[in-house]
Amino acid sequence: VSQSRYEEEKEIPLAPHLRPEPALRPCALPPGGLLVTEAATPRAYQFLRHRGLTETEIRALKAVSFEQFKVKKVKSPSGVREIDIANRVLWPVYYLGGQIVSWQARDLTGTMHQKYMNAMESDIAKTLWPVVELRGTRAILVEGVFDCIAMRRAGLDAFATISKQLSENQLKLLVHLGVKEIILHGIS
């Protein structure tokens, strides 16, 4: 078993010259979720282990499970939309300084219409996952968190856009992080 470099990374402190302009809106995680552990959330834990995550990576992901609910409705901040996050595992998406600005949730059953869903009305397109220090000046951009973890485990500076497109705000964030070369993998 190889030691994951992902677990050794640290968040970038919020320095005045890195402060986002304008600041991203904070996003709360839906209430009622359980932190993913083998004992408390066995289905979510086994799902993440089956995806190749180590015990330490699962803890670092700070994943929360809603597997205990048959229905778990979450309203958008404006109250206009409502989604069901039951039977999903969810992980927070951070910005500089550790502020949660969104979340992404994955279907645990393989039967849902939407495999992934993100927090509604959030600034997810303005950040990357994870926002951590670089080891070099080259970054590989992928769509999803699991691909990102695999690449980081191999020692590569990878980030997930959590979509198939790279936004202008994400590009600005990469420049702030010191990236000089970007490799797109499945991103346009």
Side-chain angles (χ1 to χ4, degrees):
V1 177
S2 65
Q3 177 71 17
S4 173
R5 296 181 82 181
Y6 164 72
E7 66 203 47
E8 300 168 359
E9 295 169 345
K10 58 183 180 177
E11 291 178 6
I12 295 174
L14 184 58
H17 69 284
L18 292 177
R19 193 172 309 277
E21 293 293 328
L24 300 187
R25 293 172 290 172
C27 176
L29 296 181
L34 300 174
L35 193 62
V36 173
T37 65
E38 189 171 15
T41 57
R43 192 164 38 151
Y45 179 85
Q46 287 305 318
F47 173 82
L48 294 174
R49 292 289 291 164
H50 191 68
R51 295 290 304 211
L53 274 67
T54 66
E55 178 87 29
T56 304
E57 288 168 336
I58 291 171
R59 280 195 306 274
L61 185 59
K62 298 178 184 166
V64 175
S65 176
F66 293 86
E67 67 187 62
Q68 73 275 25
F69 295 99
K70 289 189 186 331
V71 175
K72 175 66 175 168
K73 299 286 185 175
V74 176
K75 285 190 184 252
S76 65
S78 66
V80 175
R81 289 185 48 219
E82 187 174 72
I83 57 173
D84 186 0
I85 59 169
N87 292 302
R88 292 185 180 271
V89 62
L90 174 149
W91 45 86
V93 177
Y94 298 91
Y95 199 59
L96 296 169
Q99 174 192 22
I100 297 175
V101 295
S102 192
W103 48 262
Q104 184 174 57
R106 169 61 157 85
D107 169 25
L108 291 171
T109 66
T111 61
M112 295 185 186
H113 175 67
Q114 277 186 283
K115 188 189 307 186
Y116 289 95
M117 57 177 48
N118 302 325
M120 299 168 287
E121 302 171 16
S122 73
D123 286 330
I124 199 165
K126 294 181 180 179
T127 192
L128 299 163
W129 189 95
V131 178
V132 294
E133 290 180 352
L134 291 168
R135 293 182 283 271
T137 59
R138 175 188 297 171
I140 300 170
L141 297 183
V142 297
E143 179 182 357
V145 169
F146 297 119
D147 290 335
C148 181
I149 289 172
M151 289 191 172
R152 295 189 82 75
R153 187 183 298 136
L156 302 171
D157 281 326
F159 298 91
T161 60
I162 314 202
S163 86
K164 292 189 182 289
Q165 297 181 353
L166 175 64
S167 73
E168 183 179 336
N169 290 310
Q170 290 169 326
L171 188 57
K172 287 178 183 177
L173 178 57
L174 288 166
V175 170
H176 280 303
L177 295 175
V179 172
K180 298 196 183 316
E181 181 181 354
I182 298 171
I183 298 170
L184 302 176
H185 183 72
I187 307 294
S188 57

